[in-house]
Amino acid sequence: MPDNRAVELQLAAANMHIDIARAAYNPSFGHRNAAQAMIPDGTPDVSVVVRSIGRATLERALTSIASDVAARVEIVLVAASGSGHAPLPDRVGRCRIVAVRPDRALPRPEAADAGIRAARGEWITFLDDDDEFLPGHLAGLRASALAGTPGTRAVTGRAVATFLSGRTEAWGQRFALAELYQRNFVHLSTLLFHRSLLDTGIAFDTRLPLHEDWDFALQLAQHTRFADWPHTTFRWHADAGSSGGGGDANADDGAFTRHRDYVYAKWATIREPWLARCTDLMQTAAAQATAGRVVEAGTTANAVLAVSQNDPHALNLLAMLAMRRGDTAEALACESLAVEVRPHDPDLRFNLANVQLASGEAVNARATLAHVLTLAPAHAGAAARLRQLEEATHATTFGGSTPGSYASEANASGAGSGHRAAPEKPSDAALRDELLELERHCANHPDDAQARRRLFQVFIALRTPVDLPGASLALPTDAPAPRVAVVTPYFRESLATLERCHLSVQRQTVRCEHIMIADGFARDELDAWAVRHIRLPTPHGDFGDTPRRIAGEAALDAGFDAVAYLDADNWLRPRHVESLLACGRARGAVVCHSARTLHRPDGSMMPLMQQGDNIEHVDTSCLLITAEAFDLLPIWGTWPRELSRIDDRMFWHAAKARGHARAFSGALTTCYEMSHLGPYWTLGETAPPGTRPNIDLDELAAWHRALTAPERTALDRCFGFSVSDLVAQLHASRK
């Protein structure tokens, strides 16, 4: 292993030849260039270096690698505890294990370095024995790296940090060199790099038992640009280790600061000249922009990006230049990226709000300005702009909400609800405008019960128009048409019910392919419909979870871009899928959901809202999942069968635990047939035949209490959130 001083000198020299290193390597799909051609045939596609001290969780870590094999993967298992480590297996699943057995215990950086020296794979990544990969991790990282721009020999993804308390945090971000010099956002297990970088002399610094991942990422950054895999496919048990760099019990503030300052000092001789060069270029670009030489300013700002990947200040300037040209779409793209890579900068976020306003996104701008004030409460510009927006908004007073599981909207006209009486009945045009504004507001404030009530009232006053909900967000006309699958499990529903469901998919304003999957009672009539008909020979009795999983895996194999769910007894308004796609596109979300209206079996709408909708609970038929969150598709029914009665809550909490970006359309585009007794009791109506009792939450809580403490802990860890807390909250809510 080279000593660290030699590595530092080599890095300083390599910084002068970074463009040459980038030009030598250009991976792309279906093409092996000169750098790749040097790799012998039979070489593993990926090596995963596992640092192990013999924890009980090692088997879980290895299994998570083996279950994610979409290429030839070898596991380099470093017995970091030395000769006292338990015997190592030869393979797990289809993955061969290369054992590294040192005769002494190895500190974290030495164990990682020993692993990369033993690795034979074309690409290399890491996993500690107390962490785990989530589905699609290796395949996603590798595909993103291969699809990268010329010079891309590394890629970073995202992690969900989980804690023994049940708390979870999203961790990681898109790569930006300027930010990496200031702070670390690269976990070794979210990093994949090409083995050719080993020839540059990179090595783990043995003086860094903490922040060795940060230092290693900085070394890589001297030789390559980074691709991005913006998906949470790695679970980091942040307080389970002993590095001091995690959280809660695994946090050592003194060690963190001491080793951070070491990294700063080590990289100062490279960082300072680089920073001076970037500063000079930015000052030149700013002067050019001030003088009105817009084209030259753009060229200079792009020169900054050439040496400082995703530099937030250069992106901010490019956004301002785009605004001068009237190109609000380009401005929004640049400013959004600047905020993404530098999320804690209130001034950049304030600029984003201004661009959003210029783009007609008043609701998003309000939310952004509110975020600015959480970062900088004294930010005068944000406070003033927010006041202007509030003053410009038509003031409307909303009525209160009805306590209980369901809130009645029987007085939907507004009389007696506290809504200010108008001197005359509003026109349909005025109501439509109000509905759109309410929809935008609710999209950003799903917990505003008064606004949701008024939205519902206006929707009824407009005679429940099928064309309007979701129209406040539309897909760009020049956007490529995504392939969307709508997954519907069915059991013993009538043919008329299935036809209603299928017809609503056919009437979507964007083309969808309907996957209908029989849970043991297949209808031959469906073979003549325009559907993908999947037949399962026997019913599974898990509320459609197994059929959803199987149909979701079929959608994965077929290469769809997004998957929506629709239960067989529900149906969709025509703009449902379009509005969710537009919502995700506008807000950078990969899990999107709509609001719903409740209906009797005859289709008539019930004057009710279910409290907690789109806050603590999202019904399955309201969901749309895009490809970036397809790691969620296989989790249906992986929980114990007893939890299938709350499967939509399990799925929603898992999506949050994995850190997927989520967005609410605010639109009433899902029609939900109410099959439980509760709403009928609320309205004082006789329940129709076949109505089911409410979920027995006492029985669910009793089942959970009967589990052993280790079983409850294992359940919580498996899904990344506290199932125990969820069951307890539901049980308490029954009162």
Side-chain angles (χ1 to χ4, degrees):
M1 183 194 319
D3 66 70
N4 289 298
R5 183 172 179 277
V7 171
E8 290 174 23
L9 293 174
Q10 191 165 7
L11 286 172
N15 195 48
M16 304 300 295
H17 304 286
I18 188 167
D19 292 333
I20 297 174
R22 289 173 178 169
Y25 184 74
N26 178 18
S28 60
F29 284 116
H31 172 69
R32 291 182 67 85
N33 57 26
Q36 290 173 298
M38 298 172 62
I39 298 168
D41 291 338
T43 297
D45 296 310
V46 179
S47 292
V48 182
V49 174
V50 178
R51 295 183 291 194
S52 172
I53 58 173
R55 292 187 181 94
T57 51
L58 174 60
E59 182 178 355
R60 180 189 66 191
L62 297 178
T63 301
S64 76
I65 300 170
S67 64
D68 189 33
V69 173
R72 293 172 299 177
V73 175
E74 74 168 7
I75 299 172
V76 180
L77 185 51
V78 182
S81 56
S83 57
H85 195 286
L88 305 180
D90 294 328
R91 65 174 51 247
V92 57
R94 291 189 292 156
C95 298
R96 174 176 173 267
I97 291 181
V98 176
V100 178
R101 298 183 177 88
D103 55 7
R104 62 179 178 86
L106 297 181
R108 291 168 53 82
E110 288 189 42
D113 209 84
I116 63 175
R117 306 305 161 192
R120 300 181 307 113
E122 182 178 358
W123 298 87
I124 302 172
T125 187
F126 304 86
L127 184 66
D128 284 347
D129 62 4
D130 54 351
D131 297 324
E132 59 192 299
F133 291 161
L134 298 173
H137 181 70
L138 293 176
L141 287 173
R142 182 168 174 264
S144 294
L146 291 172
T149 56
T152 300
R153 288 190 281 173
V155 58
T156 54
R158 308 290 188 273
V160 56
T162 66
F163 299 84
L164 292 175
S165 64
R167 178 170 59 92
T168 63
E169 294 178 5
W171 204 89
Q173 66 167 67
R174 189 185 295 266
F175 183 85
L177 182 56
E179 295 301 297
L180 190 66
Y181 273 127
Q182 296 183 36
R183 58 190 172 85
N184 187 33
F185 48 81
V186 178
H187 192 291
L188 285 179
S189 294
T190 64
L191 168 70
L192 183 77
F193 69 95
H194 195 266
R195 70 169 300 104
S196 61
L197 288 164
L198 295 175
D199 298 334
T200 66
I202 58 173
F204 280 90
D205 191 331
T206 57
R207 290 170 287 184
L208 280 173
L210 177 62
H211 297 321
E212 81 282 7
D213 46 2
W214 182 14
D215 175 76
F216 191 75
L218 283 167
Q219 292 183 47
L220 295 179
Q222 310 308 309
H223 307 286
T224 182
R225 296 180 74 81
F226 282 72
D228 189 48
W229 169 242
H231 312 299
T232 305
T233 51
F234 164 64
R235 181 174 289 131
W236 173 29
H237 295 277
D239 55 355
S242 57
S243 67
D248 294 353
N250 183 23
D252 184 334
D253 292 341
F256 184 96
T257 301
R258 185 168 62 255
H259 292 102
R260 179 202 63 193
D261 292 346
Y262 170 85
V263 173
Y264 283 160
K266 173 178 177 177
W267 285 95
T269 56
I270 294 175
R271 181 183 65 246
E272 296 309 318
W274 169 88
L275 181 60
R277 181 183 179 189
C278 292
T279 301
D280 288 346
L281 285 170
M282 282 301 304
Q283 290 175 344
T284 299
Q288 290 167 334
T290 301
R293 292 148 53 194
V294 175
V295 174
E296 293 178 42
T299 300
T300 307
N302 277 300
V304 176
L305 294 177
V307 296
S308 177
Q309 184 179 353
N310 292 330
D311 188 285
H313 305 293
L315 289 166
N316 178 65
L317 179 57
L318 287 170
M320 299 303 103
L321 295 174
M323 288 289 288
R324 288 194 190 183
R325 301 193 306 269
D327 189 347
T328 55
E330 176 67 16
L332 189 59
C334 290
E335 201 66 63
S336 297
L337 181 54
V339 168
E340 182 182 350
V341 300
R342 192 174 172 84
H344 304 300
D345 190 317
D347 293 324
L348 287 180
R349 204 169 284 272
F350 177 62
N351 289 348
L352 174 60
N354 289 328
V355 175
Q356 289 170 328
L357 285 171
S359 303
E361 298 184 6
V363 173
N364 289 339
R366 287 191 187 97
T368 301
L369 290 167
H371 196 162
V372 172
L373 292 175
T374 63
L375 295 172
H379 198 289
R385 185 57 55 87
L386 199 56
R387 282 196 303 271
Q388 292 170 1
L389 286 174
E390 295 302 329
E391 291 167 0
T393 302
H394 176 66
T396 306
T397 305
F398 303 106
S401 61
T402 303
S405 296
Y406 295 89
S408 174
E409 295 297 339
N411 58 347
S413 65
S417 67
H419 182 60
R420 185 178 58 193
E424 59 185 28
K425 182 180 179 180
S427 67
D428 276 6
L431 285 172
R432 290 169 79 91
D433 288 343
E434 183 181 5
L435 184 73
L436 291 177
E437 182 60 25
L438 284 164
E439 183 183 291
R440 297 185 189 106
H441 175 83
C442 290
N444 286 285
H445 304 283
D447 57 344
D448 189 336
Q450 292 179 328
R452 289 177 62 222
R453 284 173 60 86
R454 180 57 184 165
L455 174 70
F456 191 89
Q457 291 168 352
V458 174
F459 186 56
I460 293 176
L462 283 168
R463 299 169 295 281
T464 64
V466 297
D467 64 314
L468 188 56
S472 60
L473 285 173
L475 282 172
T477 55
D478 59 346
R483 290 188 64 213
V484 181
V486 179
V487 169
T488 296
Y490 72 94
F491 182 52
R492 282 178 162 169
E493 291 81 6
S494 69
L495 190 62
T497 297
L498 296 178
E499 286 177 330
R500 181 181 66 183
C501 171
H502 176 54
L503 187 59
S504 76
V505 175
Q506 288 189 311
R507 289 176 174 171
Q508 290 301 298
T509 53
V510 297
R511 183 177 180 274
C512 300
E513 296 185 47
H514 202 180
I515 301 177
M516 301 188 77
I517 179 165
D519 194 14
F521 297 92
R523 303 284 307 233
D524 293 338
E525 297 93 333
L526 272 61
D527 292 334
W529 295 5
V531 300
R532 294 187 182 216
H533 191 198
I534 301 174
R535 297 165 177 257
L536 302 183
T538 57
H540 291 80
D542 59 0
F543 295 83
D545 287 346
T546 296
R548 286 191 196 96
R549 183 176 70 250
I550 293 172
E553 290 168 349
L556 275 169
D557 292 340
F560 283 94
D561 301 308
V563 168
Y565 294 103
L566 177 61
D567 286 352
D569 54 354
N570 299 335
W571 66 100
L572 305 172
R573 295 189 170 94
R575 298 187 67 90
H576 175 78
V577 172
E578 178 191 356
S579 63
L580 290 177
L581 288 170
C583 177
R585 186 183 182 95
R587 311 224 351 231
V590 297
V591 176
C592 300
H593 53 106
S594 72
R596 60 177 175 166
T597 50
L598 309 181
H599 296 258
R600 303 176 185 90
D602 64 3
S604 60
M605 194 166 76
M606 306 176 80
L608 292 173
M609 299 184 307
Q610 185 165 3
Q611 294 185 350
D613 262 3
N614 298 295
I615 307 166
E616 56 210 34
H617 165 264
V618 174
D619 185 76
T620 305
S621 295
C622 295
L623 286 166
L624 181 136
I625 314 297
T626 60
E628 295 83 356
F630 275 4
D631 60 283
L632 291 169
L633 302 189
I635 73 169
W636 289 103
T638 56
W639 39 74
R641 189 176 298 268
E642 289 81 359
L643 291 171
S644 287
R645 67 189 78 182
I646 57 168
D647 51 5
D648 47 6
R649 295 178 187 269
M650 290 293 296
F651 188 89
W652 180 244
H653 279 71
K656 292 196 293 185
R658 295 188 180 192
H660 287 305
R662 306 174 303 281
F664 176 40
S665 72
L668 296 160
T669 53
T670 300
C671 301
Y672 180 92
E673 182 178 307
M674 183 49 67
S675 58
H676 289 96
L677 289 171
Y680 298 99
W681 289 344
T682 299
L683 293 175
E685 297 180 2
T686 301
T691 304
R692 301 193 301 266
N694 294 336
I695 295 172
D696 190 339
L697 295 173
D698 288 328
E699 181 179 313
L700 179 63
W703 166 81
H704 188 265
R705 283 195 303 271
L707 299 176
T708 65
E711 286 173 335
R712 288 194 292 270
T713 299
L715 193 62
D716 294 351
R717 287 193 170 188
C718 180
F719 295 103
F721 67 93
S722 177
V723 179
S724 302
D725 286 351
L726 174 60
V727 172
Q729 290 162 9
L730 287 172
H731 190 235
S733 71
R734 84 200 193 288
K735 302 173 182 177

PDB file of all heavy atoms in Angstrom, residues 91-110:
ATOM      1  N   ARG A  91     -19.400 -18.903  -0.742  1.00  0.00           N
ATOM      2  CA  ARG A  91     -20.296 -18.145  -1.602  1.00  0.00           C
ATOM      3  C   ARG A  91     -21.605 -17.924  -0.874  1.00  0.00           C
ATOM      4  O   ARG A  91     -21.915 -18.592   0.110  1.00  0.00           O
ATOM      5  CB  ARG A  91     -20.536 -18.837  -2.940  1.00  0.00           C
ATOM      6  CG  ARG A  91     -21.265 -20.168  -2.898  1.00  0.00           C
ATOM      7  CD  ARG A  91     -21.581 -20.680  -4.307  1.00  0.00           C
ATOM      8  NE  ARG A  91     -20.434 -20.695  -5.180  1.00  0.00           N
ATOM      9  CZ  ARG A  91     -20.291 -19.911  -6.264  1.00  0.00           C
ATOM     10  NH1 ARG A  91     -21.249 -19.062  -6.591  1.00  0.00           N
ATOM     11  NH2 ARG A  91     -19.219 -19.984  -7.022  1.00  0.00           N
ATOM     12  N   VAL A  92     -22.385 -16.989  -1.378  1.00  0.00           N
ATOM     13  CA  VAL A  92     -23.747 -16.786  -0.912  1.00  0.00           C
ATOM     14  C   VAL A  92     -24.601 -16.577  -2.151  1.00  0.00           C
ATOM     15  O   VAL A  92     -24.308 -15.722  -2.985  1.00  0.00           O
ATOM     16  CB  VAL A  92     -23.858 -15.598   0.064  1.00  0.00           C
ATOM     17  CG1 VAL A  92     -23.341 -14.312  -0.558  1.00  0.00           C
ATOM     18  CG2 VAL A  92     -25.299 -15.394   0.520  1.00  0.00           C
ATOM     19  N   GLY A  93     -25.618 -17.406  -2.316  1.00  0.00           N
ATOM     20  CA  GLY A  93     -26.401 -17.368  -3.542  1.00  0.00           C
ATOM     21  C   GLY A  93     -25.509 -17.630  -4.739  1.00  0.00           C
ATOM     22  O   GLY A  93     -24.719 -18.577  -4.762  1.00  0.00           O
ATOM     23  N   ARG A  94     -25.602 -16.760  -5.737  1.00  0.00           N
ATOM     24  CA  ARG A  94     -24.768 -16.901  -6.926  1.00  0.00           C
ATOM     25  C   ARG A  94     -23.446 -16.153  -6.809  1.00  0.00           C
ATOM     26  O   ARG A  94     -22.662 -16.124  -7.757  1.00  0.00           O
ATOM     27  CB  ARG A  94     -25.538 -16.385  -8.149  1.00  0.00           C
ATOM     28  CG  ARG A  94     -26.727 -17.264  -8.544  1.00  0.00           C
ATOM     29  CD  ARG A  94     -27.293 -16.813  -9.873  1.00  0.00           C
ATOM     30  NE  ARG A  94     -27.926 -15.510  -9.781  1.00  0.00           N
ATOM     31  CZ  ARG A  94     -28.091 -14.682 -10.807  1.00  0.00           C
ATOM     32  NH1 ARG A  94     -27.629 -14.985 -11.997  1.00  0.00           N
ATOM     33  NH2 ARG A  94     -28.713 -13.527 -10.638  1.00  0.00           N
ATOM     34  N   CYS A  95     -23.210 -15.521  -5.680  1.00  0.00           N
ATOM     35  CA  CYS A  95     -22.016 -14.682  -5.529  1.00  0.00           C
ATOM     36  C   CYS A  95     -20.858 -15.479  -4.912  1.00  0.00           C
ATOM     37  O   CYS A  95     -20.982 -16.041  -3.815  1.00  0.00           O
ATOM     38  CB  CYS A  95     -22.320 -13.482  -4.643  1.00  0.00           C
ATOM     39  SG  CYS A  95     -23.580 -12.392  -5.297  1.00  0.00           S
ATOM     40  N   ARG A  96     -19.747 -15.492  -5.611  1.00  0.00           N
ATOM     41  CA  ARG A  96     -18.527 -16.097  -5.077  1.00  0.00           C
ATOM     42  C   ARG A  96     -17.930 -15.159  -4.037  1.00  0.00           C
ATOM     43  O   ARG A  96     -17.955 -13.935  -4.189  1.00  0.00           O
ATOM     44  CB  ARG A  96     -17.533 -16.321  -6.216  1.00  0.00           C
ATOM     45  CG  ARG A  96     -16.159 -16.827  -5.778  1.00  0.00           C
ATOM     46  CD  ARG A  96     -15.290 -17.117  -6.995  1.00  0.00           C
ATOM     47  NE  ARG A  96     -13.927 -17.443  -6.610  1.00  0.00           N
ATOM     48  CZ  ARG A  96     -12.942 -16.560  -6.529  1.00  0.00           C
ATOM     49  NH1 ARG A  96     -13.176 -15.289  -6.807  1.00  0.00           N
ATOM     50  NH2 ARG A  96     -11.718 -16.930  -6.184  1.00  0.00           N
ATOM     51  N   ILE A  97     -17.390 -15.720  -2.965  1.00  0.00           N
ATOM     52  CA  ILE A  97     -16.768 -14.919  -1.917  1.00  0.00           C
ATOM     53  C   ILE A  97     -15.257 -15.069  -1.980  1.00  0.00           C
ATOM     54  O   ILE A  97     -14.726 -16.183  -1.989  1.00  0.00           O
ATOM     55  CB  ILE A  97     -17.292 -15.323  -0.531  1.00  0.00           C
ATOM     56  CG1 ILE A  97     -18.762 -14.917  -0.391  1.00  0.00           C
ATOM     57  CG2 ILE A  97     -16.455 -14.684   0.573  1.00  0.00           C
ATOM     58  CD1 ILE A  97     -19.367 -15.248   0.950  1.00  0.00           C
ATOM     59  N   VAL A  98     -14.575 -13.944  -2.071  1.00  0.00           N
ATOM     60  CA  VAL A  98     -13.119 -13.894  -1.992  1.00  0.00           C
ATOM     61  C   VAL A  98     -12.780 -13.489  -0.562  1.00  0.00           C
ATOM     62  O   VAL A  98     -13.125 -12.391  -0.123  1.00  0.00           O
ATOM     63  CB  VAL A  98     -12.535 -12.884  -2.997  1.00  0.00           C
ATOM     64  CG1 VAL A  98     -11.026 -12.776  -2.817  1.00  0.00           C
ATOM     65  CG2 VAL A  98     -12.898 -13.266  -4.419  1.00  0.00           C
ATOM     66  N   ALA A  99     -12.139 -14.367   0.163  1.00  0.00           N
ATOM     67  CA  ALA A  99     -11.859 -14.126   1.579  1.00  0.00           C
ATOM     68  C   ALA A  99     -10.502 -13.455   1.746  1.00  0.00           C
ATOM     69  O   ALA A  99      -9.505 -13.869   1.141  1.00  0.00           O
ATOM     70  CB  ALA A  99     -11.899 -15.430   2.351  1.00  0.00           C
ATOM     71  N   VAL A 100     -10.479 -12.407   2.552  1.00  0.00           N
ATOM     72  CA  VAL A 100      -9.234 -11.745   2.940  1.00  0.00           C
ATOM     73  C   VAL A 100      -9.094 -11.961   4.442  1.00  0.00           C
ATOM     74  O   VAL A 100      -9.881 -11.438   5.233  1.00  0.00           O
ATOM     75  CB  VAL A 100      -9.255 -10.244   2.603  1.00  0.00           C
ATOM     76  CG1 VAL A 100      -7.967  -9.583   3.072  1.00  0.00           C
ATOM     77  CG2 VAL A 100      -9.461 -10.039   1.108  1.00  0.00           C
ATOM     78  N   ARG A 101      -8.083 -12.758   4.826  1.00  0.00           N
ATOM     79  CA  ARG A 101      -7.930 -13.159   6.230  1.00  0.00           C
ATOM     80  C   ARG A 101      -6.608 -12.618   6.779  1.00  0.00           C
ATOM     81  O   ARG A 101      -5.586 -13.308   6.752  1.00  0.00           O
ATOM     82  CB  ARG A 101      -7.957 -14.679   6.352  1.00  0.00           C
ATOM     83  CG  ARG A 101      -9.261 -15.335   5.909  1.00  0.00           C
ATOM     84  CD  ARG A 101      -9.205 -16.835   6.152  1.00  0.00           C
ATOM     85  NE  ARG A 101     -10.437 -17.525   5.819  1.00  0.00           N
ATOM     86  CZ  ARG A 101     -10.727 -18.000   4.612  1.00  0.00           C
ATOM     87  NH1 ARG A 101      -9.848 -17.843   3.615  1.00  0.00           N
ATOM     88  NH2 ARG A 101     -11.872 -18.616   4.382  1.00  0.00           N
ATOM     89  N   PRO A 102      -6.588 -11.398   7.293  1.00  0.00           N
ATOM     90  CA  PRO A 102      -5.347 -10.871   7.881  1.00  0.00           C
ATOM     91  C   PRO A 102      -5.046 -11.570   9.207  1.00  0.00           C
ATOM     92  O   PRO A 102      -5.940 -12.145   9.850  1.00  0.00           O
ATOM     93  CB  PRO A 102      -5.667  -9.392   8.098  1.00  0.00           C
ATOM     94  CG  PRO A 102      -7.157  -9.364   8.267  1.00  0.00           C
ATOM     95  CD  PRO A 102      -7.703 -10.443   7.383  1.00  0.00           C
ATOM     96  N   ASP A 103      -3.780 -11.545   9.609  1.00  0.00           N
ATOM     97  CA  ASP A 103      -3.412 -12.216  10.860  1.00  0.00           C
ATOM     98  C   ASP A 103      -3.559 -11.290  12.062  1.00  0.00           C
ATOM     99  O   ASP A 103      -3.210 -11.656  13.189  1.00  0.00           O
ATOM    100  CB  ASP A 103      -1.976 -12.745  10.783  1.00  0.00           C
ATOM    101  CG  ASP A 103      -0.973 -11.654  10.429  1.00  0.00           C
ATOM    102  OD1 ASP A 103      -1.376 -10.467  10.369  1.00  0.00           O
ATOM    103  OD2 ASP A 103       0.205 -11.994  10.199  1.00  0.00           O
ATOM    104  N   ARG A 104      -4.078 -10.077  11.831  1.00  0.00           N
ATOM    105  CA  ARG A 104      -4.324  -9.134  12.931  1.00  0.00           C
ATOM    106  C   ARG A 104      -5.595  -8.350  12.610  1.00  0.00           C
ATOM    107  O   ARG A 104      -6.073  -8.338  11.465  1.00  0.00           O
ATOM    108  CB  ARG A 104      -3.149  -8.155  13.090  1.00  0.00           C
ATOM    109  CG  ARG A 104      -2.914  -7.270  11.877  1.00  0.00           C
ATOM    110  CD  ARG A 104      -1.766  -6.302  12.085  1.00  0.00           C
ATOM    111  NE  ARG A 104      -1.511  -5.493  10.904  1.00  0.00           N
ATOM    112  CZ  ARG A 104      -2.130  -4.353  10.616  1.00  0.00           C
ATOM    113  NH1 ARG A 104      -3.050  -3.874  11.443  1.00  0.00           N
ATOM    114  NH2 ARG A 104      -1.830  -3.683   9.515  1.00  0.00           N
ATOM    115  N   ALA A 105      -6.123  -7.703  13.629  1.00  0.00           N
ATOM    116  CA  ALA A 105      -7.302  -6.872  13.422  1.00  0.00           C
ATOM    117  C   ALA A 105      -6.922  -5.640  12.596  1.00  0.00           C
ATOM    118  O   ALA A 105      -5.848  -5.046  12.798  1.00  0.00           O
ATOM    119  CB  ALA A 105      -7.890  -6.451  14.763  1.00  0.00           C
ATOM    120  N   LEU A 106      -7.778  -5.285  11.649  1.00  0.00           N
ATOM    121  CA  LEU A 106      -7.510  -4.138  10.778  1.00  0.00           C
ATOM    122  C   LEU A 106      -8.452  -2.990  11.109  1.00  0.00           C
ATOM    123  O   LEU A 106      -9.669  -3.182  11.186  1.00  0.00           O
ATOM    124  CB  LEU A 106      -7.697  -4.521   9.311  1.00  0.00           C
ATOM    125  CG  LEU A 106      -6.777  -5.588   8.737  1.00  0.00           C
ATOM    126  CD1 LEU A 106      -7.110  -5.807   7.258  1.00  0.00           C
ATOM    127  CD2 LEU A 106      -5.314  -5.196   8.903  1.00  0.00           C
ATOM    128  N   PRO A 107      -7.922  -1.773  11.300  1.00  0.00           N
ATOM    129  CA  PRO A 107      -8.803  -0.608  11.445  1.00  0.00           C
ATOM    130  C   PRO A 107      -9.632  -0.415  10.168  1.00  0.00           C
ATOM    131  O   PRO A 107      -9.319  -0.964   9.110  1.00  0.00           O
ATOM    132  CB  PRO A 107      -7.831   0.547  11.670  1.00  0.00           C
ATOM    133  CG  PRO A 107      -6.546  -0.092  12.094  1.00  0.00           C
ATOM    134  CD  PRO A 107      -6.505  -1.425  11.400  1.00  0.00           C
ATOM    135  N   ARG A 108     -10.653   0.399  10.251  1.00  0.00           N
ATOM    136  CA  ARG A 108     -11.590   0.574   9.142  1.00  0.00           C
ATOM    137  C   ARG A 108     -10.904   0.944   7.827  1.00  0.00           C
ATOM    138  O   ARG A 108     -11.168   0.323   6.790  1.00  0.00           O
ATOM    139  CB  ARG A 108     -12.636   1.634   9.511  1.00  0.00           C
ATOM    140  CG  ARG A 108     -13.600   1.183  10.596  1.00  0.00           C
ATOM    141  CD  ARG A 108     -14.422   2.361  11.131  1.00  0.00           C
ATOM    142  NE  ARG A 108     -15.071   3.087  10.074  1.00  0.00           N
ATOM    143  CZ  ARG A 108     -16.219   2.721   9.511  1.00  0.00           C
ATOM    144  NH1 ARG A 108     -16.841   1.626   9.921  1.00  0.00           N
ATOM    145  NH2 ARG A 108     -16.765   3.455   8.555  1.00  0.00           N
ATOM    146  N   PRO A 109     -10.014   1.950   7.803  1.00  0.00           N
ATOM    147  CA  PRO A 109      -9.413   2.303   6.511  1.00  0.00           C
ATOM    148  C   PRO A 109      -8.520   1.197   5.954  1.00  0.00           C
ATOM    149  O   PRO A 109      -8.488   0.972   4.741  1.00  0.00           O
ATOM    150  CB  PRO A 109      -8.619   3.579   6.813  1.00  0.00           C
ATOM    151  CG  PRO A 109      -8.407   3.567   8.286  1.00  0.00           C
ATOM    152  CD  PRO A 109      -9.587   2.887   8.869  1.00  0.00           C
ATOM    153  N   GLU A 110      -7.788   0.491   6.820  1.00  0.00           N
ATOM    154  CA  GLU A 110      -6.932  -0.593   6.334  1.00  0.00           C
ATOM    155  C   GLU A 110      -7.761  -1.746   5.785  1.00  0.00           C
ATOM    156  O   GLU A 110      -7.401  -2.371   4.781  1.00  0.00           O
ATOM    157  CB  GLU A 110      -6.020  -1.089   7.461  1.00  0.00           C
ATOM    158  CG  GLU A 110      -4.903  -0.123   7.824  1.00  0.00           C
ATOM    159  CD  GLU A 110      -3.904  -0.759   8.787  1.00  0.00           C
ATOM    160  OE1 GLU A 110      -3.558  -1.946   8.587  1.00  0.00           O
ATOM    161  OE2 GLU A 110      -3.499  -0.072   9.741  1.00  0.00           O
TER     162      GLU A 110
END
